[in-house]
Coordinates of all heavy atoms in Angstrom, one line a residue:
N28 N 5.9 10.4 3.5 CA 5.6 11.9 3.6 C 6.8 12.7 3.2 O 6.8 13.9 3.1 CB 5.1 12.3 5.0 CG 3.7 11.9 5.2 OD1 2.9 11.7 4.3 ND2 3.3 11.8 6.5
G29 N 8.0 12.0 3.0 CA 9.2 12.7 2.6 C 10.1 12.9 3.7 O 9.8 13.5 4.8
R30 N 11.4 12.4 3.6 CA 12.4 12.6 4.6 C 13.5 13.6 4.1 O 13.8 13.7 3.0 CB 13.0 11.3 4.9 CG 12.1 10.2 5.5 CD 12.8 8.9 5.8 NE 13.3 8.2 4.6 CZ 13.9 7.0 4.6 NH1 14.1 6.4 5.8 NH2 14.3 6.5 3.5
S31 N 14.0 14.3 5.1 CA 15.1 15.2 4.8 C 14.8 16.2 3.7 O 15.7 16.4 2.8 CB 16.4 14.4 4.5 OG 16.7 13.6 5.6
G32 N 13.6 16.7 3.7 CA 13.2 17.7 2.6 C 12.8 17.1 1.3 O 12.6 17.8 0.3
K33 N 12.8 15.7 1.2 CA 12.4 15.1 -0.1 C 10.9 15.2 -0.3 O 10.2 15.3 0.7 CB 12.8 13.6 -0.1 CG 14.3 13.4 -0.1 CD 14.6 11.9 -0.2 CE 16.1 11.6 -0.5 NZ 16.9 12.1 0.7
P34 N 10.5 15.2 -1.6 CA 9.0 15.3 -1.8 C 8.3 14.1 -1.3 O 8.8 13.0 -1.2 CB 9.0 15.4 -3.4 CG 10.4 15.8 -3.8 CD 11.3 15.2 -2.8
K35 N 7.0 14.3 -1.1 CA 6.1 13.3 -0.7 C 6.0 12.2 -1.8 O 6.0 12.6 -3.0 CB 4.7 13.9 -0.3 CG 3.7 12.8 0.2 CD 2.4 13.5 0.5 CE 1.4 12.5 1.0 NZ 0.1 13.2 1.4
I36 N 5.8 11.0 -1.4 CA 5.6 9.9 -2.3 C 4.1 9.6 -2.4 O 3.5 9.3 -1.3 CB 6.4 8.6 -2.0 CG1 7.9 8.9 -2.0 CG2 6.1 7.5 -2.9 CD1 8.8 7.8 -1.5
E37 N 3.6 9.6 -3.6 CA 2.1 9.3 -3.7 C 1.9 7.8 -3.7 O 2.7 7.0 -4.3 CB 1.6 9.9 -5.0 CG 0.1 9.6 -5.2 CD -0.4 10.1 -6.6 OE1 0.4 10.7 -7.3 OE2 -1.6 10.0 -6.8
V38 N 0.9 7.3 -3.0 CA 0.5 5.9 -3.0 C -0.9 5.7 -3.6 O -1.8 6.4 -3.2 CB 0.5 5.4 -1.5 CG1 0.0 3.9 -1.5 CG2 1.9 5.4 -0.9
I39 N -0.9 4.9 -4.6 CA -2.2 4.6 -5.3 C -2.6 3.1 -5.0 O -1.8 2.2 -5.1 CB -2.1 4.7 -6.8 CG1 -1.7 6.2 -7.2 CG2 -3.4 4.3 -7.5 CD1 -1.4 6.4 -8.7
K40 N -3.8 2.9 -4.5 CA -4.3 1.6 -4.1 C -5.4 1.2 -5.1 O -6.5 1.7 -5.1 CB -4.8 1.6 -2.6 CG -3.7 1.9 -1.6 CD -4.2 1.7 -0.2 CE -5.0 2.9 0.3 NZ -5.3 2.9 1.7
N41 N -5.0 0.2 -5.9 CA -6.0 -0.5 -6.8 C -6.4 -1.8 -6.2 O -5.9 -2.9 -6.6 CB -5.4 -0.6 -8.2 CG -5.1 0.7 -8.8 OD1 -5.8 1.7 -8.6 ND2 -4.0 0.7 -9.6
Y42 N -7.2 -1.8 -5.2 CA -7.6 -3.0 -4.5 C -8.8 -3.7 -5.2 O -9.8 -3.1 -5.5 CB -8.0 -2.7 -3.0 CG -6.9 -2.3 -2.1 CD1 -7.1 -1.9 -0.8 CD2 -5.5 -2.4 -2.5 CE1 -6.1 -1.6 0.0 CE2 -4.5 -2.1 -1.7 CZ -4.8 -1.7 -0.4 OH -3.8 -1.4 0.5
G43 N -8.6 -5.0 -5.5 CA -9.7 -5.7 -6.0 C -10.6 -6.3 -4.9 O -10.3 -6.1 -3.7
D44 N -11.5 -7.1 -5.3 CA -12.5 -7.7 -4.4 C -11.9 -9.0 -3.9 O -12.3 -10.1 -4.4 CB -13.8 -7.9 -5.1 CG -14.9 -8.3 -4.1 OD1 -14.7 -8.2 -2.9 OD2 -16.0 -8.8 -4.5
L45 N -11.0 -9.0 -3.0 CA -10.3 -10.2 -2.6 C -11.1 -10.9 -1.5 O -11.7 -10.3 -0.7 CB -8.9 -9.8 -1.9 CG -7.8 -9.3 -2.8 CD1 -6.5 -9.3 -2.0 CD2 -7.6 -10.2 -4.1
P46 N -11.1 -12.2 -1.6 CA -11.6 -13.0 -0.5 C -10.6 -13.0 0.7 O -9.5 -12.5 0.5 CB -11.7 -14.4 -1.1 CG -10.6 -14.5 -2.1 CD -10.5 -13.1 -2.7
L47 N -11.0 -13.6 1.8 CA -10.1 -13.8 2.9 C -9.1 -14.8 2.4 O -9.4 -15.8 1.8 CB -10.8 -14.3 4.1 CG -11.7 -13.3 4.8 CD1 -12.4 -13.9 6.0 CD2 -11.0 -12.0 5.2
V48 N -7.8 -14.6 2.6 CA -6.7 -15.4 2.1 C -6.1 -16.2 3.3 O -5.7 -15.6 4.3 CB -5.7 -14.6 1.4 CG1 -4.5 -15.5 0.9 CG2 -6.3 -13.9 0.2
E49 N -6.0 -17.5 3.1 CA -5.3 -18.3 4.2 C -3.8 -18.1 4.0 O -3.2 -18.4 3.0 CB -5.7 -19.7 4.0 CG -7.1 -20.0 4.5 CD -7.3 -21.5 5.0 OE1 -6.5 -21.8 6.0 OE2 -8.1 -22.2 4.5
C50 N -3.1 -17.6 5.1 CA -1.7 -17.4 5.0 C -1.1 -17.3 6.4 O -1.9 -17.2 7.4 CB -1.4 -16.1 4.2 SG -2.2 -14.6 5.0
Y51 N 0.2 -17.2 6.5 CA 0.9 -16.9 7.7 C 1.1 -15.4 7.7 O 2.1 -14.9 7.2 CB 2.2 -17.6 7.8 CG 2.1 -19.1 7.8 CD1 2.3 -19.9 6.7 CD2 1.8 -19.8 9.0 CE1 2.2 -21.3 6.7 CE2 1.6 -21.2 9.1 CZ 1.9 -21.9 7.9 OH 1.8 -23.3 8.0

């Protein structure tokens, strides 16, 4: 959201159709 008066950072989410992933 911006620290010390800095502008907000935009976040773009390009999520694909992922399966459940086995991981730690």
Side-chain angles (χ1 to χ4, degrees):
N28 285 339
R30 299 181 292 184
S31 304
K33 290 183 172 65
K35 181 178 179 180
I36 298 173
E37 181 183 1
V38 176
I39 299 174
K40 294 188 283 189
N41 295 327
Y42 288 173
D44 187 15
L45 291 189
L47 294 180
V48 177
E49 288 209 57
C50 60
Y51 297 101

